[in-house]
Amino acid sequence: MSASAASLSSQRQRVLSLYRQILRLARQWPGRPGVADPATEAAYIRTEAGTLFRQHKSLSDPVVIESHIAEAESRINLALHYNIPYPRMPNLPPGCLATPGQPKRRTARGMDDALPAYMKSYKSGYAPKIK
Amino acid sequence: ISQHAIQRCSQWRCYASASSAGLSQDKITERVMTVIKLFEKISAEKLTIESHFMKELGLDSLDHVELLMAIEDEFGFEIPDQDAEKLNKPSDIIKYLCEKMEVDYK
């Protein structure tokens, strides 16, 4: 990602304003009374955003960066819609679990392919460690 | 009422509120430097008012965003994105805050 002397490139600006938007969300996170503590969830949002953004900070292909920007925007919209900051785990597609005689690598690829775009950072090979 | 009179009135009003709220450039400087020192990614030994966050203190742009969020929390108002990307040294932040809170900056 190149930065000109006077201003940042527009993709970089979008990434930083996304990060800022997520941190502002964490500040005012309402939580779910009786179910989820706002402070815990806000801390989770900050940790997850920090981990994932830093994990991908040395990417250089603009197409890949664009797909990660879309991932971040989807995660923000899902969190706002459901009021749940955690990743929305998808279901396994049918026929995905190994049965006797089925080769195991198809299972792993089937599970990976089933992950939607907003779970891009959680596909095998990426898995971030978030406490 | 002339424009000049209106400007003088608003300046007088704001100056009174800024000083009666106990705001001065020194107080702002002190609060800004405290917030920056408490930021765990910055080592206090290398920190001066003119040290550049990215070039001298080793912050990356994500750390810079987090630092400005801490400043926003301390002073109670939001800093828009296009202003934020220009605040690269503590002195820039102090000057910006003085302008926003209408405190005299020397």
Side-chain angles (χ1 to χ4, degrees):
Chain A
M1 289 186 282
S2 67
S4 65
S7 66
L8 306 173
S9 78
S10 72
Q11 206 174 41
R12 189 164 162 167
Q13 270 175 328
R14 284 165 62 203
V15 171
L16 292 177
S17 63
L18 265 174
Y19 190 57
R20 198 172 280 123
Q21 190 182 346
I22 294 174
L23 291 181
R24 290 212 169 108
L25 248 153
R27 216 186 240 167
Q28 308 276 18
W29 192 250
R32 288 160 282 154
V35 177
D37 172 34
T40 325
E41 293 198 329
Y44 173 81
I45 294 173
R46 277 188 275 264
T47 333
E48 195 197 15
T51 315
L52 290 182
F53 273 77
R54 284 185 173 86
Q55 192 174 341
H56 300 120
K57 77 176 178 178
S58 33
L59 290 176
S60 55
D61 181 5
V63 175
V64 177
I65 295 173
E66 204 55 52
S67 67
H68 279 292
I69 290 177
E71 179 195 348
E73 287 171 352
S74 314
R75 289 293 308 276
I76 293 171
N77 288 328
L78 283 168
L80 286 171
H81 178 81
Y82 290 107
N83 212 13
I84 299 174
Y86 306 106
R88 183 168 176 266
M89 289 298 174
N91 293 320
L92 281 180
C96 200
L97 289 179
T99 54
Q102 191 182 21
K104 273 209 185 116
R105 54 185 157 79
R106 257 167 65 191
T107 309
R109 210 178 71 193
M111 286 165 73
D112 237 25
D113 286 347
L115 283 180
Y118 61 79
M119 295 293 287
K120 189 177 158 83
S121 295
Y122 287 83
K123 289 196 179 182
S124 56
Y126 275 110
K129 292 181 181 50
I130 297 172
K131 293 170 198 51
Chain B
I1 305 174
S2 71
Q3 273 302 104
H4 184 61
I6 291 174
Q7 198 180 7
R8 277 179 58 202
C9 288
S10 67
Q11 278 176 347
W12 187 69
R13 226 185 5 251
C14 291
Y15 180 69
S17 68
S19 65
S20 65
L23 282 178
S24 66
Q25 186 181 336
D26 290 331
K27 291 239 174 72
I28 291 179
T29 306
E30 197 187 311
R31 283 166 78 184
V32 167
M33 296 310 281
T34 311
V35 168
I36 297 178
K37 277 180 200 144
L38 287 172
F39 196 64
E40 72 272 2
K41 291 177 189 148
I42 292 188
S43 64
E45 302 92 50
K46 287 198 268 180
L47 176 66
T48 70
I49 293 198
E50 292 296 325
S51 39
H52 196 281
F53 292 129
M54 322 253 208
K55 294 184 194 148
E56 293 169 37
L57 296 172
L59 293 185
D60 64 15
S61 45
L62 297 172
D63 297 326
H64 183 236
V65 171
E66 289 173 14
L67 178 63
L68 287 177
M69 298 289 284
I71 303 265
E72 285 181 6
D73 285 333
E74 168 68 22
F75 287 91
F77 62 86
E78 284 195 358
I79 301 176
D81 292 4
Q82 61 269 37
D83 294 342
E85 68 187 29
K86 299 185 197 117
L87 304 176
N88 291 316
K89 298 188 276 197
S91 61
D92 294 338
I93 298 179
I94 293 165
K95 180 166 181 221
Y96 179 79
L97 289 171
C98 286
E99 278 166 29
K100 283 287 164 177
M101 299 198 280
E102 291 163 351
V103 170
D104 293 329
Y105 179 78
K106 293 166 212 59

